[in-house]
Amino acid sequence: MTAVVETPTRTPHRTYSRWTALVVLCAGTLMTILDGNIVTVAMPAVQSDLGFSGPGLAWVVNAYLIPFGGLLLLAGRLGDLVGRKRMFTAGLAVFTAASVLCGVATGQGMLIAARALQGVGGAMTSAVVLGMLVALFPEPRERARAIAVFSAVGAAGGALGTFLGGALTQALNWHWIFLINLPIGIVALVAAVRVLAPEDGEGLGRGADFPGAALVTGALMLTVYVIVGSGDRAPATTLFLGLAAVALFTAFVLRQARAARPLLRLRLFGSRLLSGANAVQILMIATMYGFQFLGALYVQRVLGFGELLTGTAFLPAPVAIGVLMLGLSARTIGRFGAYRVLLAGLALIVAGMALLSRAPADGSYLADVLPPLLLLSVGFAAAMPALTGLAMSGAREEDAGLASGLFNTTQVVGGSLGLAVLSVLAANRTEGLLEHGTALVAATAEGYQLAFGAGTGIAVGALVLAAVALRPRTKG
């Protein structure tokens, strides 16, 4: 169990130290969240500077997502075995060093390799954070407040990445979207060493199922690879790779059922709350991640905004998310319960996506983008802390690190799925309209309308699933 200071009573110093530790954990998480989105607005500059082709440019994103999503579960379990603090600090070091390599990259190969290393460090850091948070705040009310802070940083960081990407690229150059991680990483690493108390973990001799780790990591990496690259391959190739991923997952499950010391205790999925929350998260994050990318493209390609103006247009999102999560989320959950707050948040997300699906070619930011942006932000600010609390409440203390890794994994898989599916829908619709003589801007807008409509359907699925799977059971 992680603790910050070893005192027998709850003194003011202990309380201060635990919240200081939360700040350190949030700082490490913020870097990985920012890098998931900060590159989107800078893509044209990266392509021009390093000479990427269209398909090759996608690997600036894919090279990060694949190891990040594929290694989260393994990193979460290893955190339980070697100590979560060791895994967290090692991940910070790897991520910071890789960020510097990205920032000084002068060629395509170097940037892609450094982005992959960033994904490894991001997985090491992110996989253990929720487990450490649960251990730091065992009391339900304080845990709800801590999760609200953590969720606010993560959610706001995703939207803030779009603004910083545009601002840094336009004011300096694209290299600084990575170099900005250096001071943050150094401060977070030094603070983590000083603030977080050391822990030994269970030891690698207990539960280190390396064959199982190879199977699940390969399966997750291949799954993410299939999702993020589905639009660039022949359908037969995508089908073959998808079947290969299913085969690896099947082999992993059989291995875990028979191994004396499995990597993933299958009993974890016996928790209705944990399984249901992860399934809901896949759908919810698929909607939100697709909106972040396609919404930015709509603002640029349809409304004609530049890099900095695009980033500024999305700035209300992190402000609204941060204010609501920090000021209202924990109290609202405490009063109405996580289940009701989750359903209300998902309903707002559905409404926001439905409004976006009507955004026209001759639209405006104030009338067609800002209202749904605020609805989505408020909905996500309500839903995410509630969903996180439900998921982690369904895990035993000894499984906290693994549950954290699983929860973060479903975030990445959901985001990749949403981005791939909605992007393909938008592109195919636009291309079809262009072939029939529709003007470029009108065809592009209709493509995004279709994608946002599909996102609305996915959000409805998340709402229905949450209502059914996470409904509190009556006693008696």
Side-chain angles (χ1 to χ4, degrees):
M1 179 175 178
T2 304
V4 176
V5 292
E6 297 180 358
T7 55
T9 59
R10 292 191 176 187
T11 65
H13 174 69
R14 176 181 173 83
T15 301
Y16 173 80
S17 296
R18 286 188 294 122
W19 288 98
T20 303
L22 177 62
V23 172
V24 174
L25 296 177
C26 287
T29 301
L30 179 62
M31 288 198 304
T32 61
I33 295 294
L34 282 174
D35 266 60
N37 295 325
I38 202 169
V39 300
T40 55
V41 181
M43 286 295 220
V46 174
Q47 184 175 24
S48 176
D49 193 13
L50 299 184
F52 277 98
S53 64
L57 186 64
W59 280 104
V60 178
V61 176
N62 296 353
Y64 179 81
L65 287 178
I66 291 172
F68 187 92
L71 292 173
L72 275 169
L73 190 59
L74 175 60
R77 182 55 184 157
L78 288 177
D80 289 338
L81 299 179
V82 304
R84 295 170 197 156
K85 178 184 177 179
R86 290 191 182 96
M87 183 61 66
F88 181 78
T89 53
L92 281 178
V94 171
F95 188 90
T96 303
S99 296
V100 174
L101 292 176
C102 288
V104 300
T106 56
Q108 298 179 18
M110 181 178 180
L111 179 59
I112 289 175
R115 285 286 284 167
L117 187 60
Q118 265 193 320
V120 173
M124 294 169 65
T125 300
S126 300
V128 296
V129 170
L130 279 179
M132 297 175 77
L133 187 152
V134 168
L136 283 167
F137 298 94
E139 196 274 322
R141 186 177 296 273
E142 284 194 334
R143 180 182 296 178
R145 290 175 58 199
I147 287 177
V149 173
F150 173 76
S151 299
V153 170
L160 188 61
T162 304
F163 170 75
L164 287 177
L168 290 172
T169 301
Q170 186 162 319
L172 299 170
N173 56 58
W174 67 265
H175 296 275
W176 285 94
I177 67 176
F178 301 113
L179 293 176
I180 194 176
N181 289 329
L182 179 59
I184 299 175
I186 291 175
V187 172
L189 184 57
V190 171
V193 172
R194 292 177 62 87
V195 172
L196 301 178
E199 59 173 29
D200 293 329
E202 303 173 24
L204 285 175
R206 300 187 60 186
D209 177 21
F210 292 107
L215 286 171
V216 71
T217 302
L220 288 171
M221 283 186 171
L222 187 56
T223 300
V224 175
Y225 176 74
V226 169
I227 293 171
V228 298
S230 59
D232 298 325
R233 296 189 213 97
T237 302
T238 298
L239 177 62
F240 172 79
L241 293 174
L243 291 174
V246 171
L248 287 175
F249 271 123
T250 302
F252 169 72
V253 171
L254 293 175
R255 167 73 187 179
Q256 299 313 289
R258 299 173 182 176
R261 295 174 177 174
L263 170 69
L264 174 60
R265 302 180 185 99
L266 295 182
R267 69 162 188 262
L268 202 66
F269 295 99
S271 168
R272 177 179 61 90
L273 288 178
L274 184 63
S275 298
N278 276 279
V280 170
Q281 178 172 235
I282 289 176
L283 298 178
M284 183 180 75
I285 297 297
T287 302
M288 294 300 299
Y289 208 76
F291 153 72
Q292 282 186 327
F293 278 83
L294 296 180
L297 291 176
Y298 172 81
V299 168
Q300 287 180 301
R301 295 179 177 177
V302 177
L303 301 187
F305 284 24
E307 294 167 343
L308 180 58
L309 195 55
T310 298
T312 304
F314 281 82
L315 197 54
V319 173
I321 289 171
V323 169
L324 290 172
M325 282 190 176
L326 293 176
L328 297 176
S329 180
R331 282 181 287 179
T332 304
I333 291 173
R335 181 175 179 180
F336 297 103
Y339 175 73
R340 291 188 180 92
V341 173
L342 173 61
L343 294 187
L346 289 172
L348 291 176
I349 291 174
V350 170
M353 290 300 294
L355 281 180
L356 268 178
S357 67
R358 300 164 57 88
D362 58 349
S364 69
Y365 171 74
L366 290 178
D368 301 298
V369 178
L370 185 59
L373 176 66
L374 293 176
L375 282 174
L376 287 162
S377 301
V378 174
F380 192 69
M384 193 62 193
L387 188 62
T388 305
L390 287 170
M392 295 308 293
S393 68
R396 303 181 184 181
E397 182 178 344
E398 63 269 24
D399 294 329
L402 182 59
S404 173
L406 178 63
F407 196 70
N408 281 287
T409 297
T410 57
Q411 283 187 11
V412 176
V413 172
S416 301
L417 175 62
L419 178 59
V421 172
L422 298 185
S423 295
V424 169
L425 286 174
N428 289 345
R429 175 62 173 167
T430 298
E431 290 175 5
L433 290 172
L434 289 175
E435 290 176 359
H436 288 82
T438 306
L440 177 60
V441 174
T444 303
E446 287 198 35
Y448 292 141
Q449 286 177 351
L450 176 63
F452 293 140
T456 305
I458 295 173
V460 169
L463 176 59
V464 172
L465 180 60
V468 174
L470 301 179
R471 183 181 183 87
R473 292 178 176 173
T474 56
K475 297 181 180 180

